[in-house]
Amino acid sequence: MFNYKLKKMKNLFCFICFMFFTLSSYAQFTATKDGVKTLDGKNFYVVEIPGKTANDLYKLTNAFIISNFKNPNAVSNTLENEMINLHGTYPQAFICKKVLGVNIFANIDMNLIIYFKDGKVRFDTPNINSMYYNNEYQVRFSGGVNVMGEGDINMFKKNGKINKKDCVDNFNNFINSFISQICDYLKGNNSTNEDW
């Protein structure tokens, strides 16, 4: 009986360690009542990409934007080889709530500024310009006044406690997945077929 419990505790410990490693390797930013922050409290997140110059990383990021946006010139401002300001609206970015079992998606309008150095890419904390659903209701981090029957969503209460956990989790997943897609592309982990 004791060995069974010990084995079960070891498995649980291994699972927790695995989950922590997985989450920490992809979770760069998180929603707070005051907006988006990094997990370590900085205003930026740096990813090391050895073997690539600032010019290489700049070009690859531009290639990512060109291949993922319908009108790439309209969504990015650049300072060649130094930075890109990516501004876009992301329709149906994340599930903000469910109504009668139906997922309701929020749209995000945001800026993401990316800087380049040899072997490094820096992502500034995303600036969220607006979040909304059904073209009329706002999704806010906190602070909005909700009148009974109004459809606006506050992710956090004014005291900083989570108000809508699923909404917060889905928002965090969207932001971090988007940045991870860029990082994977820069590291050469994209699935394009080079043999053509």
Side-chain angles (χ1 to χ4, degrees), residues 2 4 13 27 30 32 45 48 59 61 63 67 84 102 109 131 138 140-141 148-149 160 166 179 182-184 192:
F2 178 74
Y4 174 75
F13 179 74
T30 188
T32 70
Y45 174 75
E48 302 229 1
K59 285 181 178 178
T61 304
S67 65
I84 293 175
V102 177
D109 182 294
M131 294 183 286
Q138 292 184 40
R140 294 179 290 249
F141 293 105
M148 197 62 148
D166 288 344
I179 291 171
I182 297 171
C183 292
D184 286 345
T192 58

Side-chain angles (χ1 to χ4, degrees), residues 81-149:
N81 298 329
E82 290 184 34
M83 62 89 64
I84 293 175
N85 181 355
L86 180 59
H87 171 247
T89 301
Y90 304 85
Q92 297 191 345
F94 67 96
I95 298 169
C96 60
K97 69 179 190 173
K98 287 188 177 191
V99 176
L100 300 174
V102 177
N103 293 332
I104 306 297
F105 288 86
N107 305 317
I108 296 180
D109 182 294
M110 75 173 183
N111 283 69
L112 178 64
I113 299 176
I114 308 166
Y115 294 93
F116 307 96
K117 285 187 177 180
D118 291 347
K120 291 182 187 177
V121 177
R122 169 182 154 165
F123 296 91
D124 278 3
T125 304
N127 183 27
I128 307 301
N129 303 312
S130 66
M131 294 183 286
Y132 56 92
Y133 69 98
N134 291 349
N135 293 323
E136 61 179 310
Y137 300 114
Q138 292 184 40
V139 179
R140 294 179 290 249
F141 293 105
S142 73
V145 177
N146 282 350
V147 177
M148 197 62 148

